[in-house]
Amino acid sequence: GAVVSQHPSRVICKSGTSVKIECRSLDFQATTMFWYRQFPKQSLMLMATSNEGSKATYEQGVEKDKFLINHASLTLSTLTVTSAHPEDSSFYICSARGVDREGSYNSPLHFGNGTRLTVT
Amino acid sequence: GNSVTQMEGPVTLSEEAFLTINCTYTATGYPSLFWYVQYPGEGLQLLLKATKADDKGSNKGFEATYRKETTSFHLEKGSVQVSDSAVYFCALKTSYDKVIFGPGTSLSVIP
């Protein structure tokens, strides 16, 4: 089945630094990727939607200059948390949808295992 | 707008007990409905899905039926195990492939 790999699984950084999280589709071409954020004991909140080769669409209230999303290829999207602060500490999860080798449109969305970001 | 409501947790059950986690939704159009499970420290795994009214999704002993008339998608399992302890998210997918999650219900199964 479709697999989405997210890296790193955990990262600790100092306040003011930037952190990049990668999301890769391993056996299909991800035409669209979604980035979610999950606060402790809460649900997942959609941050942004990115389509390969175009700018990401951010949900209301999400700072696009702080959470930079790049989807430069059909298998890779990156989320960069710029000038991270302790309040950015969270669990970030990506998901992807696209077309597999047989040309089938894969649904439902497939999720990565998430990245636990801790900003000290 | 689109939204998902789940019963509040945490839910604590004894092993082999019957499980029901209620889920209702509000949506425009005809969404697909899902249950995802999240084990401690991990990402989300798809548990089951239903794409149209009256469909029943099932997997690993869990099942849920898409009820359009009551806008519900309740999760059930006849006999839970300790290994079922996790957080369960009900979700809907819009025509634009955005997935809207419910708040999650934490389940603890004790031996």
Side-chain angles (χ1 to χ4, degrees):
Chain A
V3 177
V4 175
S5 173
Q6 196 171 330
H7 178 80
S9 59
R10 295 178 180 273
V11 58
I12 300 173
C13 70
K14 292 186 177 181
S15 187
T17 61
S18 295
V19 174
K20 181 183 285 187
I21 302 170
E22 293 186 346
C23 181
R24 293 180 184 274
S25 57
L26 297 185
D27 56 357
F28 67 99
Q29 294 182 326
T31 52
T32 305
M33 287 189 173
F34 303 85
W35 287 94
Y36 292 82
R37 181 174 180 177
Q38 184 181 30
F39 291 101
K41 298 184 179 181
Q42 294 188 29
S43 189
L44 286 79
M45 302 301 297
L46 180 64
M47 299 173 66
T49 302
S50 72
N51 292 298
E52 186 266 337
S54 63
K55 289 184 178 180
T57 302
Y58 290 81
E59 296 299 303
Q60 193 172 12
V62 178
E63 299 176 61
K64 62 180 181 182
D65 294 331
K66 180 166 188 63
F67 298 100
L68 300 179
I69 292 172
N70 183 284
H71 192 168
S73 78
L74 283 171
T75 59
L76 174 65
S77 176
T78 60
L79 167 67
T80 301
V81 183
T82 62
S83 187
H85 289 94
E87 57 266 29
D88 298 325
S89 298
S90 192
F91 194 57
Y92 294 87
I93 302 179
C94 70
S95 67
R97 65 142 238 226
V99 179
D100 62 24
R101 291 195 187 90
E102 286 74 39
S104 299
Y105 180 87
N106 69 39
S107 179
L109 302 175
H110 298 277
F111 287 82
N113 279 338
T115 298
R116 172 81 55 199
L117 170 63
T118 303
V119 184
T120 61
Chain B
N2 300 312
S3 66
V4 178
T5 303
Q6 284 178 242
M7 63 185 290
E8 290 189 18
V11 174
T12 302
L13 294 174
S14 297
E15 205 165 20
E16 298 183 1
F18 186 86
L19 169 71
T20 299
I21 301 178
N22 290 338
C23 170
T24 57
Y25 67 91
T26 302
T28 53
Y30 304 96
S32 296
L33 301 175
F34 306 87
W35 278 99
Y36 284 89
V37 58
Q38 185 178 34
Y39 297 101
E42 297 184 13
L44 270 68
Q45 298 178 27
L46 175 66
L47 182 59
L48 52 84
K49 66 172 182 174
T51 58
K52 62 183 187 297
D54 299 326
D55 269 3
K56 177 185 281 189
S58 61
N59 185 27
K60 299 180 181 179
F62 292 90
E63 58 181 34
T65 301
Y66 190 144
R67 300 287 188 201
K68 187 168 179 287
E69 63 277 14
T70 54
T71 62
S72 65
F73 193 54
H74 304 322
L75 181 68
E76 296 182 337
K77 186 174 185 181
S79 176
V80 293
Q81 306 300 313
V82 173
S83 57
D84 294 325
S85 298
V87 180
Y88 292 82
F89 292 94
C90 184
L92 66 84
K93 184 165 75 75
T94 71
S95 56
Y96 296 102
D97 273 346
K98 286 187 179 180
V99 179
I100 310 295
F101 289 89
T105 302
S106 176
L107 170 67
S108 293
V109 180
I110 53 178

